Amino acid sequence: MVNTAQRLRVAEGQGERAPAPTRTVPCMQTTWPHMLFPRPAAAVPLVFPFDQPALRYRYFARNAVWDAIRLLGLAGERVLMPAYHHGVELETLLAAGVKPVFFRVDAQMHCDFEDARAKAQNIAALYVIHYAGFPQDMAAARQLANDLGVPVIEDCALALLSRDGEKPLGSFGDVSVFCLYKTLPVPNGGLLLARGEFARKLDTLPPAVPPPIPSTASHLIGSLLSNLELRTGEVGRRARQAMRDAGRWFVSRANVERVSTGTQHFNIADVHLGMSAASHLVLRNQDFAGIVERRRRNYFLLYAMLRDVAPPITGELKPGVCPLFYPMPVEDKAGAMARLLARGVETVDFWRLRHPAVASGLFPDVDKLRERVLELPVHQDLSPADAEHVASCVRELLA
Ligand SMILES: Cc1ncc(COP(=O)(O)O)c(C=O)c1O
């Protein structure tokens, strides 16, 4: 059987224009209708971190970061922070009154805890980020924090369900934050997990406010339509487009308040929003072991097909790791993204934008990562054929 990638190659070889793809491989997992099946709250799966007692559900991970700063009493304090970050977590720290002290992250996305140690004067906490689900050296992080006598904030926004061997990411910090909607098909959701003395102080945080229903509905419908397109191709694509147009019209008429996820900026007005009931429902309908298994399989497939031409920044998969995506270095990110999209592969530009708090040139490895890293999808909705299609398109692009 000839697959889409081979058809594209043949068409191009014959001097024809490549056929428009009938189906786009989405860069994010989608919500399947059966995930809205009503289940009792007791059906919440007992996997880390959902099995932990000192847990708070929030609309975003950034809200959990805000709460973490309050819990640790870090307003006005200096906090060691990796120079490679999304930007919204940094905005949250700055809005909460933290003074960040940046340390180096190397070209393989490893935190340089020796650089952090060299900058650790009058420090009140250590902030660590696991990139794309790949674990940092948490033994080194803990050693540094213990030597300084400060707590660790473990940012697992990109590392839900991931482990370092047997130990779950998020179980190393004194407080940990997670983003749910990056790994799972929920319309919104973030988590704050606290341990020890901080767990006992969780009740001092203000209660979460339920998010606006129209906003959650609009995210949920978008993801269900994305799923329809994934399953039915062209028919679903047209239905999605029609619904999108109708949705835009409705939103403009009804003045619907939409609290967008995945944005670059912290908004204090949304800081007390909690997770929606719809997200709780979708959460009860997840097969977590299956998600990890499929993400690992898809990463393995991309790795096997691409390691000679586009090895991932993060290297081979170690046991337990749940990859968020396959981080591939490219010279012309915008061009590569456009050409892959033309072949029906959605990708994400990983952190090109630098927050002005970190001057360009101070961390050359980080600048290079921002310029070059492109995310290829490995999520749970991709079949082995989809992963093969993604890899074939990348090979063509690089040929
Ligand atoms: C490392 C990191 N921390 C925190 C966040 C904030 O996540 P959320 O969008 O759920 O607020 C992000 C968002 O991309 C992130 O990449």
Side-chain angles (χ1 to χ4, degrees):
M1 221 175 84
V2 182
N3 65 26
T4 318
Q6 284 161 335
R7 273 203 301 278
L8 281 168
R9 242 191 327 262
V10 170
E12 284 176 344
Q14 291 167 349
E16 296 168 22
R17 272 186 54 201
T22 54
R23 175 174 168 282
T24 298
V25 175
C27 60
M28 295 290 284
Q29 60 285 348
T30 65
T31 313
W32 294 68
H34 72 261
M35 292 175 182
L36 299 176
F37 186 78
R39 285 184 201 279
V44 176
L46 288 178
V47 299
F48 186 90
F50 306 105
D51 60 349
Q52 297 296 297
L55 199 61
R56 288 290 181 276
Y57 286 86
R58 296 292 186 247
Y59 191 86
F60 295 118
R62 66 197 75 172
N63 293 4
V65 173
W66 173 269
D67 285 341
I69 299 308
R70 297 184 61 151
L71 210 57
L72 303 184
L74 294 175
E77 301 287 350
R78 286 158 54 90
V79 171
L80 282 166
M81 171 83 185
Y84 194 37
H85 44 255
H86 175 270
V88 75
E89 72 290 59
L90 175 59
E91 268 200 14
T92 309
L93 293 184
L94 292 170
V98 164
K99 297 176 188 149
V101 176
F102 298 106
F103 62 88
R104 184 176 164 261
V105 176
D106 75 12
Q108 279 73 47
M109 300 186 181
H110 296 134
C111 286
D112 180 346
F113 293 114
E114 282 316 305
D115 189 50
R117 187 179 288 277
K119 294 172 174 165
Q121 288 83 37
N122 301 322
I123 286 298
L126 170 62
Y127 197 103
V128 180
I129 301 175
H130 302 290
Y131 306 104
F134 288 78
Q136 294 296 342
D137 180 349
M138 290 312 287
R142 178 48 71 191
Q143 184 65 53
L144 173 58
N146 287 354
D147 292 349
L148 299 173
V150 300
V152 174
I153 304 170
E154 191 179 358
D155 186 329
C156 304
L158 313 176
L160 182 73
L161 305 179
S162 197
R163 288 183 284 124
D164 187 351
E166 289 303 309
K167 199 134 162 64
L169 300 191
S171 65
F172 297 89
D174 295 277
V175 296
S176 308
V177 299
F178 301 83
C179 176
L180 302 192
Y181 65 82
K182 293 197 198 316
T183 305
L184 306 174
V186 288
N188 45 59
L191 290 179
L192 171 70
L193 171 63
R195 257 177 300 279
E197 57 173 305
F198 304 112
R200 289 189 289 280
K201 281 168 51 184
L202 262 187
D203 287 338
T204 61
L205 293 174
V209 176
I213 291 174
S215 172
T216 298
S218 119
H219 286 291
L220 188 60
I221 292 169
S223 186
L224 284 163
L225 288 171
S226 211
N227 177 262
L228 186 70
E229 179 176 347
L230 180 83
R231 286 182 290 117
T232 63
E234 184 58 20
V235 176
R237 199 175 64 78
R238 289 192 186 176
R240 189 178 169 200
Q241 191 55 49
M243 292 287 283
R244 259 196 194 156
D245 295 344
R248 273 200 203 108
W249 180 85
F250 176 74
V251 166
S252 65
R253 284 293 166 109
N255 205 8
V256 168
E257 186 192 346
R258 196 170 195 272
V259 185
S260 297
T261 51
T263 62
Q264 197 83 20
H265 297 294
F266 172 73
N267 184 353
I268 188 96
D270 298 328
V271 83
H272 297 309
L273 290 184
M275 192 168 93
S276 63
S279 291
H280 280 289
L281 182 59
V282 173
L283 207 53
R284 285 176 214 145
N285 283 289
Q286 297 302 306
D287 164 16
F288 292 104
I291 290 170
V292 176
E293 198 183 303
R294 288 195 291 279
R295 284 180 171 270
R296 285 180 62 84
R297 177 201 65 200
N298 292 335
Y299 186 99
F300 270 128
L301 287 171
L302 291 188
Y303 185 74
M305 289 183 70
L306 293 178
R307 74 182 148 199
D308 56 334
V309 290
I313 304 264
T314 38
E316 262 185 282
L317 266 189
K318 301 230 166 70
V321 173
C322 176
L324 192 65
F325 50 81
Y326 182 102
M328 179 185 103
V330 285
E331 290 306 328
D332 169 18
K333 238 208 278 206
M337 288 180 79
R339 289 202 293 280
L340 287 171
L341 188 60
R343 282 160 163 71
V345 176
E346 278 184 8
T347 55
V348 176
D349 180 346
F350 193 56
W351 294 357
R352 184 174 45 83
L353 293 180
R354 176 180 48 79
H355 191 283
V358 187
S360 161
L362 274 185
F363 298 95
D365 286 336
V366 170
D367 290 345
K368 217 163 180 182
L369 287 170
R370 290 195 186 282
E371 250 167 58
R372 300 176 66 211
V373 178
L374 185 66
E375 303 176 359
L376 299 179
V378 297
H379 59 76
Q380 55 268 36
D381 286 347
L382 302 192
S383 65
D386 289 326
E388 190 202 328
H389 174 57
V390 172
S392 306
C393 289
V394 171
R395 289 195 77 90
E396 281 172 10
L397 178 84
L398 299 173

